[in-house]
Amino acid sequence: MTVHSQGAATSAPQDAPPKSAGLPPKAPAAPAGPSQPSPRGGRRQLPTGWLPYLLIAPAVLSLAVLLVYPLIKNVILSFQDINKIEFIQRKYPSAGFDNYTQLLGDSNFWTVVLRSFGFTLANVVLIMAIGSLIGLLLNKLGKKMRLVLSMALVMAWAMPIVASVQVFYWLFDEQFGVMNWVMRTAGFSGYEQHNWFETGLSTLTIVTVLVVWGSIPFVALNMYAALTTVGAELYEAARMDGANGWQTFWKVVFPQLKPFFLITTFLEVIWVFKAFTQVYAMNKGGPDRASEILPVFAFVEGQSQSHYGLAAAISVLTILILIVIMSFYFRLILKQEEEQ
């Protein structure tokens, strides 16, 4: 302290360093910055904001290589007139919009489009209805029977598509098929070496049975999982109000599981609409291309007919049709989220 002549005492300046007896003054700490080396190994640390991008970079790169690049090449190919000769000579003449105008003016293309919509609608309705009923059954069964039914569903779901197609083809075989034997045993006439694949409608009917059989387990198991989230008090309240089983489902269960039905139906529409393996492996789109849906139609035009540019245009139009369908469905999903 400094004592003035008036007797007032004033303190020392605040920026003066404090003095400790026998200890040297401490050096001021250096400000930490991004350029400071890490104490471990002297490596420079990355900013924390980059970590999420680095983690998803491999997935984004894989998607770009496996999906985006082929899609761009397919769109470019759809504007080119490439047949077998051009493909061998490695010539890529431009066709402009000729492939698209040819398709849009072709009645066969619109027949395939309508057939694809009908095939998708029939499959999705059957899959959602039967799968939901089996899911409700799983919720009512005891532990042992639920385990047996769940294992059967998983085995059907896990069966490879090509193997299941061969099994169904054997069931409906003209000479040694089980279905012809069943129909004859039941007393029906005209099933001696009956050809179940004689028409496009009968072929698609068999394919529909195959697709529904292979898709029911996904809906049923997910339905059962969703039912476990519905509280028992809701069932008890409905029972006290005198509601029967049907009323309980529509008034209690369905409103609670509406997001499940929206998402599951959305996935089933996509999977069924692009079902290629089942239709092509069953009868190659025959007879006389009468069972072709859009993916099979594009494959036959490209590989069998060697109309590569036209096949690319078919695939692009298939994607656009699916996007238009899904846009309406996305609006329903977003509306449902806003209501919640």
Side-chain angles (χ1 to χ4, degrees), residues 35-314:
S35 61
Q36 287 294 109
S38 173
R40 296 181 180 181
R43 295 182 179 179
R44 184 176 299 177
Q45 294 181 346
L46 291 172
T48 55
W50 285 91
L51 183 59
Y53 300 100
L54 291 176
L55 293 176
I56 67 172
V60 173
L61 184 60
S62 301
L63 287 175
V65 173
L66 299 176
L67 295 179
V68 178
Y69 177 74
L71 179 61
I72 294 175
K73 293 291 291 183
N74 189 70
V75 172
I76 295 174
L77 180 60
S78 67
F79 291 98
Q80 296 174 340
D81 184 16
I82 300 179
N83 296 316
K84 183 179 292 185
I85 297 177
E86 288 79 10
F87 182 78
I88 296 175
Q89 296 178 349
R90 296 184 179 274
K91 295 180 179 180
Y92 309 101
S94 177
F97 290 92
D98 291 346
N99 291 328
Y100 292 96
T101 55
Q102 179 180 347
L103 284 174
L104 297 177
D106 187 3
S107 60
N108 291 330
F109 171 74
W110 292 111
T111 301
V112 174
V113 171
L114 293 177
R115 187 185 299 137
S116 301
F117 277 111
F119 176 77
T120 302
L121 179 62
N123 277 274
V124 172
V125 170
L126 291 173
I127 290 169
M128 294 302 300
I130 301 175
S132 299
L133 291 175
I134 295 179
L136 291 171
L137 178 62
L138 285 171
N139 194 45
K140 295 295 184 181
L141 291 176
K143 291 184 178 180
K144 293 183 179 179
M145 290 304 299
R146 183 188 302 137
L147 178 61
V148 172
L149 182 56
S150 299
M151 290 179 61
L153 291 172
V154 171
M155 291 174 63
W157 192 16
M159 190 171 184
I161 296 177
V162 176
S164 62
V165 169
Q166 292 302 315
V167 170
F168 270 73
Y169 193 85
W170 172 74
L171 290 174
F172 292 92
D173 183 69
E174 181 177 354
Q175 186 173 1
F176 303 105
V178 175
M179 287 305 301
N180 281 337
W181 174 81
V182 170
M183 298 300 289
R184 292 195 305 269
T185 305
F188 293 95
S189 60
Y191 287 93
E192 191 71 33
Q193 296 188 353
H194 174 71
N195 184 10
W196 292 88
F197 303 97
E198 186 176 3
T199 64
L201 180 61
S202 60
T203 301
L204 284 179
T205 302
I206 297 173
V207 175
T208 298
V209 176
L210 170 62
V211 173
V212 171
W213 172 82
S215 302
I216 281 176
F218 173 78
V219 178
L221 294 174
N222 280 278
M223 179 70 176
Y224 168 67
L227 286 170
T228 58
T229 64
V230 180
E233 64 275 4
L234 296 177
Y235 293 103
E236 185 65 25
R239 193 178 301 111
M240 292 179 63
D241 291 338
N244 56 29
W246 185 255
Q247 291 171 337
T248 301
F249 176 79
W250 281 110
K251 300 296 183 181
V252 178
V253 177
F254 184 77
Q256 296 291 323
L257 302 185
K258 196 172 182 180
F260 157 77
F261 285 106
L262 288 175
I263 296 298
T264 307
T265 306
F266 169 77
L267 294 175
E268 290 297 335
V269 169
I270 295 177
W271 291 337
V272 174
F273 195 81
K274 63 183 184 65
F276 168 80
T277 308
Q278 295 91 332
V279 180
Y280 188 78
M282 185 66 73
N283 203 18
K284 294 182 173 58
D288 297 328
R289 307 184 65 176
S291 64
E292 289 180 352
I293 59 176
L294 281 172
V296 180
F297 184 55
F299 180 82
V300 172
E301 285 292 332
Q303 297 299 320
S304 300
Q305 306 297 324
S306 301
H307 300 156
Y308 304 109
L310 193 64
I314 296 172

